[in-house]
């Protein structure tokens, strides 16, 4: 198979996703300054936008033979490895904390592997999607509190391999609102001002999504 001939438009956004995630890792490797940390978080946020555009384009133009597997590989880098490395770089935790980062990455890989071999639902994900986990973990770094981020990393790892139902957001109006909020937060990070404001916006979105299985359970019981 000629790889270049197999590429489809959605795959270009997936490649952008990979590139941004790896760029975040390289940035943290070179410098653990506050500016570098904020820029790395911004790159991961943009990677999430690219991941969303990948799915949006794929649903309208169709995906190619590389689509699903390439997307999983990209997500493991951008939302598994990059956020875990970001935590280690930002807080320089002692080596006995490293297992938490390894657990997060491993659970992310297991989550993606299960997704690739499981039957797909149009409405729900099984377990927390790794982009949501990676975004939540990255945003928590902006608060500068390792006592919050390290336990959160383990919680997100468990949620990824859980069987809890998480909704797939398909409504264009909701996606537009979420997109605008993410862009506003990313712009605040880019300007390196109102970082707390950006963390509150993105953290609020993350918490709402993390709690969505409770809402789904209540709605199902009410039927």
């Amino acid at each position: 198979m000629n790889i270049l001939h197999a590429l489809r438009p959605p795959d270009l956004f997936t490649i952008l996703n990979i590139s941004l995630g790896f760029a975040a890792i390289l940035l943290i490797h070179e410098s653990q300054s506050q500016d570098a940390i904020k820029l790395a978080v911004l790159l991961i946020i943009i990677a999430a936008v690219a991941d969303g555009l990948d799915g949006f384009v794929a649903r309208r133009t169709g995906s190619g033979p590389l689509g699903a597997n390439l997307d999983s590989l990209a997500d493991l880098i951008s939302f598994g490895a990059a956020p875990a490395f970001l935590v280690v770089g930002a807080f320089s935790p002692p080596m006995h904390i490293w297992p938490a980062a390894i657990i997060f990455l491993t659970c992310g890989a297991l989550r993606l592997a299960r997704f690739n071999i499981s039957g797909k639902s149009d409405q729900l994900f099984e377990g927390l999607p790794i982009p949501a986990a990676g975004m939540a973990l990255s945003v928590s770094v902006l608060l500068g509190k390792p006592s919050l981020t390290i336990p959160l990393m383990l919680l997100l790892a468990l949620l990824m391999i859980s069987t809890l139902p998480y909704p797939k957001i398909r409504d264009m109006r909701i996606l537009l609102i979420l997109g605008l909020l993410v862009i506003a937060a990313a712009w605040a990070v880019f300007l390196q001002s109102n970082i707390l404001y950006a963390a509150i916006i993105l953290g609020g979105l993350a918490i709402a999504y993390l709690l969505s299985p409770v809402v789904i359970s209540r709605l199902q019981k009410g039927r």
Side-chain angles (χ1 to χ4, degrees):
M1 176 191 294
N2 186 312
I3 294 295
L4 295 180
H5 289 168
L7 289 174
R8 298 293 184 272
D11 300 330
L12 301 180
F13 289 103
T14 306
I15 292 171
L16 177 60
N17 177 2
I18 296 172
S19 303
L20 292 166
F22 189 59
I25 293 173
L26 293 176
L27 185 62
I28 294 299
H29 178 266
E30 287 299 313
S31 172
Q32 286 81 47
S33 68
Q34 287 300 310
D35 288 347
I37 290 168
K38 293 171 185 175
L39 183 54
V41 172
L42 177 61
L43 291 175
I44 293 171
I45 292 172
I46 299 173
V49 174
D51 182 59
L53 290 173
D54 165 11
F56 178 80
V57 174
R59 286 191 294 273
R60 279 154 179 76
T61 65
S63 60
L66 303 176
N69 290 320
L70 184 62
D71 187 61
S72 290
L73 293 171
D75 287 354
L76 186 60
I77 293 172
S78 296
F79 311 117
F85 194 76
L86 173 64
V87 171
V88 174
F91 300 128
S92 299
M95 289 183 64
H96 70 269
I97 301 297
W98 288 12
I102 294 171
I103 289 171
F104 180 84
L105 179 60
T106 301
C107 288
L110 291 171
R111 167 67 176 76
L112 290 167
R114 179 178 65 186
F115 177 78
N116 284 352
I117 65 172
S118 299
K120 305 298 187 294
S121 166
D122 290 334
Q123 303 297 325
L124 300 171
F125 291 110
E126 184 180 12
L128 179 67
I130 190 172
M135 284 276 288
L137 183 60
S138 300
V139 169
S140 75
V141 173
L142 294 175
L143 299 175
K145 297 184 180 298
S147 59
L148 168 66
T149 296
I150 304 302
L152 177 63
M153 184 158 52
L154 294 173
L155 173 62
L156 293 170
L158 293 176
L159 290 176
M160 283 193 287
I161 59 173
S162 74
T163 56
L164 292 174
Y166 281 88
K168 292 184 178 181
I169 301 174
R170 297 283 191 248
D171 190 298
M172 289 302 301
R173 292 167 295 182
I174 296 176
L175 288 173
L176 179 60
I177 293 171
L178 291 176
L180 291 174
L181 289 173
V182 169
I183 290 171
W187 184 249
V189 174
F190 175 73
L191 294 177
Q192 298 186 11
S193 61
N194 298 318
I195 298 301
L196 181 60
Y197 168 74
I200 290 173
I201 290 178
L202 295 174
L205 293 175
I207 291 172
Y209 193 72
L210 290 177
L211 295 177
S212 60
V214 177
V215 177
I216 292 172
S217 176
R218 292 283 186 180
L219 290 174
Q220 289 176 340
K221 288 181 180 179
R223 290 177 179 176

